[in-house]
Amino acid sequence: SSQNLSEEFAEAARQLKKEAPRIQFGKMDVTHQHDLRKEFNIQAFPTVKFFVNGSREDPIDCKGVRKASTFITWVKRRTGPSTVLINSTDQAEAIIKADDLAVIGFFRELHNGSVEVFCEAARDVPEMPFGMTASEDVRANYGIQRNSLVVFKKGKPVHNEVLEDGRQNKLDLTRLIKTFTLDLVTEYNIETSVKIFDVPVENHILLFTPTDSETFNEIYENYKSAAAEFRGKILFVLVDTDEARNGRIFEYFRIRDIDVPAVRILNLTSEAKYKMPADEVTVENLKAFCQSYLSGKAKQHLSSEEIPEDWDKMPVKVLVGKNFNSVIF
């Protein structure tokens, strides 16, 4: 909520006052400040923006940051180095073991495009520590030959992304790294919904199924297997259809009891929905569905009521999904 964020923001300001007195924190109620809202394009509340060098042009958006400690890291990475330079294996181990998650960039030399993109991504993911190294010893210790970004979870490597100069962009890396703040498959509930929408992946796939059914374990394993392949591109979400509090999601996707298990893809930007053509939730069917969606071949799923018989009788026509296109266009 705004109140919580406001308190965390104030705590970050208190702590940074000693460490970085040049950074000023301010808060503002823009309810009646229409000119400011328009100038800075403020659409949602609360919004946090960072103004650099006394300029009101192009402030940097601080999105998805909710804790004082993360605010502090975010600001420090914007005003100083965004990653720790690692020179020894001991130093690398210390960073990897200090937190649940850590990201290390292994490079042959520290002057290339991949390093820049890595450092830019580090600025946008204050939730976890970032280190980078060009030390041959450190690379050899982890068995890494090529320029790579490695995500460590609880001290163990869980993902290795080869970084080819000029191939990756910052947003793709940011998306990929941020997905590790969630499980491979995230069950939707009141607590996780905020986290799900904080991860900047606009494609979500949702599996609707009762979690206590006999077939659940098999379906869930298949879903998890497919999730590993599309990490960073599609976010895999599980919706328990036995949970009454999920009712609004079933309504939004028009899922009925007889439809489950059901799989849908939602694009958050366009709100376009897609239905998996196959009924069985197998690894092959899931992969084919995700692939066809990403390549733009999947057909949009327009859940629609039947066309009323008297839709054309009156001057104002009655439209439903099934006759919308033909009538309007």
Side-chain angles (χ1 to χ4, degrees):
S1 72
S2 285
Q3 185 56 39
N4 275 355
L5 191 78
S6 191
E7 285 165 14
E8 294 289 330
F9 189 67
E11 180 53 37
R14 271 196 295 278
Q15 291 186 36
L16 276 172
K17 199 171 180 181
K18 301 181 193 100
E19 290 181 59
R22 283 180 57 242
I23 298 165
Q24 302 292 318
F25 279 71
K27 69 175 179 178
M28 186 172 203
D29 180 354
V30 289
T31 321
H32 305 295
Q33 310 277 345
H34 297 297
D35 291 352
L36 282 176
R37 276 179 73 172
K38 197 172 168 191
E39 180 184 352
F40 299 120
N41 190 25
I42 291 165
Q43 316 243 342
F45 299 101
T47 292
V48 178
K49 287 183 183 279
F50 186 46
F51 294 84
V52 184
N53 296 334
S55 164
R56 63 196 293 158
E57 301 292 315
D58 299 324
I60 303 160
D61 274 324
C62 179
K63 287 180 183 157
V65 176
R66 293 173 191 276
K67 290 200 181 97
S69 57
T70 326
F71 265 124
I72 291 167
T73 305
W74 190 88
V75 170
K76 281 182 173 173
R77 288 185 188 175
R78 291 276 160 195
T79 53
S82 60
T83 64
V84 175
L85 189 57
I86 295 168
N87 296 311
S88 69
T89 304
D90 286 353
Q91 203 186 351
E93 282 295 294
I95 290 173
I96 289 161
K97 288 184 173 151
D99 273 271
D100 258 7
L101 285 163
V103 182
I104 309 286
F106 295 90
F107 299 100
R108 288 179 173 278
E109 84 276 339
L110 292 179
H111 301 286
N112 63 36
S114 297
V115 174
E116 276 175 45
V117 174
F118 178 77
C119 291
E120 278 178 24
R123 286 194 191 105
D124 282 347
V125 192
E127 296 94 328
M128 52 188 95
F130 274 69
M132 66 176 183
T133 187
S135 153
E136 269 187 51
D137 290 350
V138 178
R139 282 211 319 270
N141 184 63
Y142 294 97
I144 289 166
Q145 269 103 39
R146 299 166 72 182
N147 289 350
S148 302
L149 174 159
V150 182
V151 180
F152 291 85
K153 198 165 191 171
K154 294 189 164 56
K156 292 188 169 61
V158 287
H159 185 82
N160 183 329
E161 186 79 7
V162 173
L163 298 174
E164 293 181 41
D165 207 357
R167 285 282 176 87
Q168 271 84 8
N169 67 45
K170 182 198 77 162
L171 190 58
D172 288 344
L173 278 191
T174 305
R175 281 185 185 134
L176 175 72
I177 298 160
K178 279 216 178 210
T179 59
F180 287 92
T181 60
L182 297 171
D183 295 326
L184 198 51
V185 171
T186 306
E187 184 169 351
Y188 182 91
N189 57 42
I190 305 299
E191 290 76 45
T192 61
S193 61
V194 171
K195 290 182 185 172
I196 289 168
F197 292 111
D198 273 350
V199 173
V201 176
E202 66 171 7
N203 308 312
H204 289 191
I205 187 167
L206 300 98
L207 166 63
F208 295 86
T209 185
T211 55
D212 62 359
S213 71
E214 285 172 23
T215 53
F216 174 71
N217 284 347
E218 189 190 337
I219 287 173
Y220 184 70
E221 286 309 315
N222 291 345
Y223 196 58
K224 234 163 111 174
S225 298
E229 197 165 311
F230 295 96
R231 188 149 217 166
K233 297 186 181 81
I234 302 177
L235 209 58
F236 277 63
V237 179
L238 168 70
V239 184
D240 182 3
T241 53
D242 283 343
E243 174 53 72
R245 285 175 298 187
N246 290 336
R248 282 175 62 192
I249 302 192
F250 311 146
E251 274 173 42
Y252 180 70
F253 285 93
R254 298 219 172 170
I255 302 280
R256 300 161 304 169
D257 286 348
I258 56 165
D259 296 330
V260 300
V263 178
R264 300 283 188 273
I265 285 178
L266 170 68
N267 179 291
L268 296 191
T269 309
S270 66
E271 292 201 10
K273 304 180 191 82
Y274 302 81
K275 177 184 180 181
M276 187 164 79
D279 285 335
E280 281 186 68
V281 186
T282 63
V283 178
E284 292 74 27
N285 289 344
L286 286 161
K287 283 184 181 177
F289 180 40
C290 291
Q291 214 61 66
S292 74
Y293 168 74
L294 289 173
S295 60
K297 291 180 183 144
K299 281 196 173 67
Q300 243 194 81
H301 177 58
L302 303 165
S303 45
S304 172
E305 297 160 45
E306 291 306 317
I307 302 168
E309 279 177 28
D310 57 355
W311 73 274
D312 202 11
K313 294 267 194 319
M314 306 296 279
V316 177
K317 310 303 174 198
V318 179
L319 299 178
V320 293
K322 282 184 178 170
N323 69 347
F324 186 86
N325 262 355
S326 57
V327 176
I328 299 297
F329 303 113

